[in-house]
Amino acid sequence: VAHFNVGPGVQIWQLPTIESSRPLKGQDTAWYPSTCFIARNLEDACDYIVGDEEAGTNTVWVWEKPMPFKFLGHPFRKSRGLAPLVEPVFREAVDAMATVSRKWGHVTALKSLAASSNRAAISASDFESAEKLMEAVRRSWDKAPICSSVAVKVWQKYFDLRNAGNPEAAARDILNYMPVWSDRTMPSMLTKVLTSKHWFLNNNLD
C-alpha cells in the first residue's frame, strides 16, 4: 500500500486485466495483459486506478494521479437470476483471443467512429440461419481491434465456447448479451447497448 501513496483506511485491490492499446503490448501477445491496482476508500463512493504491473514482469508502474473509472458489470450473477459465469470457459476465451490478437487498428477506429448504431449492431434478420450469423461473427474477430473490441471478442468467444456444437444457443446469447460487431463499436456505443442488455454501470467494484 505504501508504494501507492494513499491515505489510511484505503485498501489496494488487484485485478487481472487485458487490453488493446496503441502504445502497449504484451510480451507474447499484441494485447496487453497486466495486473491493475485499485484503491478503495470505503468512505468514498468511487474507486481509483493507481497503478499496474505488466504480466510476466516484476515492475509496478505507479500512476502520478489516481484515475476514477466506470465499471461495466456483466449480468451473469446469482443476484440477477441468470445462469452464472462459467469461469474456466471465460478464461479459455480470454486466452484463445489473446493468442490470436492483433495490434490496435487505425482503420477499425475510424470505422467505429463513423458507424451508426444500426451498423454497429448485429441483426438476426440479416442472416438466414444461426450458423451464418456465427460464421460472420467469427470472421469479424479477425479484424484489428480497438480498446472496446477486446470485451466484444472475448465475450462472443465465451458464448461460442459455452455453447459448443449449438450455434442456435451461441447466436441467441450473443444477440441477448453482446449484440455488436467488434470492429464497428466505440466504447460509448458499447456502454449504451450493454446497459440495455442487463449489464450495469457503476463507479466502483461493489
Side-chain angles (χ1 to χ4, degrees):
V1 174
H3 293 300
F4 296 106
N5 193 29
V6 296
V10 175
Q11 300 176 345
I12 298 295
W13 287 24
Q14 59 184 51
L15 302 173
T17 61
I18 191 164
E19 64 181 288
S20 176
S21 170
R22 292 176 68 180
L24 299 173
K25 69 174 185 175
Q27 296 182 348
D28 302 312
T29 67
W31 290 356
Y32 177 70
S34 69
T35 297
C36 184
F37 296 96
I38 308 294
R40 304 207 72 201
N41 187 335
L42 300 183
E43 297 180 356
D44 192 337
C46 293
D47 296 338
Y48 300 86
I49 301 174
V50 292
D52 74 290
E53 177 183 358
E54 180 183 351
T57 73
N58 293 313
T59 302
V60 175
W61 296 95
V62 180
W63 294 18
E64 184 176 347
K65 292 183 179 181
M67 185 176 73
F69 64 94
K70 294 290 185 180
F71 171 73
L72 190 59
H74 69 75
F76 303 103
R77 306 165 191 270
K78 292 180 180 179
S79 61
R80 293 182 173 254
L82 295 174
L85 181 75
V86 184
E87 294 187 11
V89 177
F90 188 80
R91 286 194 294 270
E92 182 182 353
V94 173
D95 291 343
M97 299 311 289
T99 298
V100 297
S101 61
R102 297 177 58 187
K103 293 189 301 182
W104 188 93
H106 293 273
V107 173
T108 302
L110 292 173
K111 285 172 58 180
S112 299
L113 281 170
S116 66
S117 58
N118 289 336
R119 291 192 66 245
I122 300 174
S123 175
S125 62
D126 291 338
F127 301 93
E128 62 185 32
S129 67
E131 289 87 350
K132 294 295 185 183
L133 185 151
M134 290 305 301
E135 288 173 5
V137 167
R138 294 183 191 113
R139 285 196 302 270
S140 73
W141 298 340
D142 294 334
K143 305 289 180 62
I146 56 174
C147 56
S148 50
S149 303
V150 174
V152 178
K153 292 182 179 186
V154 167
W155 276 98
Q156 290 176 346
K157 180 67 172 180
Y158 167 75
F159 295 131
D160 196 17
L161 290 172
R162 193 180 71 174
N163 297 291
N166 189 343
E168 290 81 8
R172 182 184 62 242
D173 281 348
I174 287 173
L175 291 169
N176 284 339
Y177 304 113
M178 190 57 73
V180 294
W181 297 108
S182 62
D183 61 324
R184 303 179 195 173
T185 307
M186 294 294 288
S188 57
M189 179 64 69
L190 182 62
T191 300
K192 180 180 179 180
V193 171
L194 294 190
T195 50
S196 72
K197 295 290 183 179
H198 309 289
W199 294 63
F200 62 95
L201 189 64
N202 208 348
N203 60 0
N204 58 46
L205 297 176
D206 290 336

